[in-house]
Amino acid sequence: MTATQTRTSRAGDKLSGRVAFVTGGTRGIGAAICRSLAAQGADVAAGYSGNTERAEMFAQDFSGAYPDSRMSVHRGDIASPDDCRRTVAEVIERHGRLDILVNNAGITADRTVLKMTDDDWRRVIDVNLSGAFYLSQAALKHMLERGSGRIVMISSVIGETGGIGQSNYASAKAGLLGLTKTLAREAAMQVQRSGKTDGLGITVNAVTPGYTATEMLESVPEKVLDGLKGKIPLGRLGEPEEVARVVHFLAADASGYITGQVWGVNGGLDM
Ligand SMILES: NC(=O)c1ccc[n+]([C@@H]2O[C@H](COP(=O)([O-])OP(=O)(O)OC[C@H]3O[C@@H](n4cnc5c(N)ncnc54)[C@H](OP(=O)(O)O)[C@@H]3O)[C@@H](O)[C@H]2O)c1
């Protein structure tokens, strides 16, 4: 990587000195979020659950593209409260602080309600909703000590509209919106009570991507995908980078007056 390429990777310095933990940060939307945060100067910790090969590939590519950004990867199952607490502690230990938590990791296990197994229901709720709760709880404690922080939930348009075969996923993603608003209220209240109001505050927001071109969509049959595209006013799938740019915007210090909000990135799908 030459100095010129380094400069090209860096798009700004809105997040200089900040440390971000992005769950599911080693591929798909999460990897794009890591890159966009690093492009604004943040140091980045990327979480993953078990695909070590992809995590290593991500780490190698990332270090080449953003040599100025300190980066680490952290393995843990976010369905496990202990793993959530451990990985947040690891990030703080490794980087000295945690300014930005992006609850991005998520899974699908689609089946119609009548065919949904207890395990498919529980696993998707545990990963997609409970994981974000445990991680936010651990991060919030640290952010409250300093009086500043940013939490961004990656929900889904399906959490707002529902989706055939996705009762578990839609319920978890809708649950994230309630969690976002409650955390936003509690964080604001606690920051005000603590008197640590340096102007940055702690904000909590959600992003609801529409259908986005990642491996998550690989299980959707081509014909179904064509049908879905036909319903998107902009006529195409979203790109991970198009979700990521909203996340780095929300993570910036200057976005401190935006909290408890839901940001759609879906090509107009929910109009
Ligand atoms: N793609 C879409 O169309 C779309 C639309 C709306 C919302 N979203 C949401 O956006 C987020 C990212 O989606 P994506 O399409 O980028 O997904 P993806 O390509 O399938 O990547 C998922 C990431 O999450 C990690 N992960 C999965 N289960 C985990 C667990 N139990 N503990 C910790 N990490 C775990 C994976 O780690 P490993 O690599 O180790 O498996 C991977 O890094 C998800 O929350 C998804 O629901 C996606």
Side-chain angles (χ1 to χ4, degrees), residues 23-30 47-52 54 76-79 103-108 123 127-128 154-157 169 173 208-217:
T23 66
T26 53
R27 55 192 175 94
I29 293 172
Y48 71 105
S49 62
N51 194 334
T52 307
R54 289 298 294 271
D77 177 3
I78 62 166
N103 284 310
N104 165 77
I107 55 168
T108 52
R123 181 72 188 151
V127 173
N128 293 9
I154 305 301
S155 172
S156 168
V157 70
Y169 186 80
K173 294 297 187 182
T208 52
Y211 298 101
T212 311
T214 71
E215 287 162 56
M216 186 174 263
L217 289 191

Side-chain angles (χ1 to χ4, degrees), residues 164-189:
I164 290 176
Q166 297 198 292
S167 57
N168 50 2
Y169 186 80
S171 302
K173 294 297 187 182
L176 280 181
L177 305 184
L179 178 60
T180 297
K181 291 175 193 210
T182 302
L183 272 172
R185 285 182 188 276
E186 288 192 13
M189 178 186 74

Side-chain angles (χ1 to χ4, degrees), residues 34-55:
C34 287
R35 291 191 294 269
S36 80
L37 295 172
Q40 291 295 335
D43 290 338
V44 170
Y48 71 105
S49 62
N51 194 334
T52 307
E53 197 185 326
R54 289 298 294 271

Side-chain angles (χ1 to χ4, degrees), residues 20 42 44-45 55 80 110 117 127 141 173 194 216 235 237 241 263 269:
V44 170
S80 150
D110 294 356
T117 65
V127 173
K141 271 186 202 152
K173 294 297 187 182
S194 72
M216 186 174 263
L237 300 179
E241 289 71 22
W263 292 69
L269 184 61

Side-chain angles (χ1 to χ4, degrees), residues 199-211:
L200 293 182
I202 299 177
T203 67
V204 188
N205 291 286
V207 178
T208 52
Y211 298 101

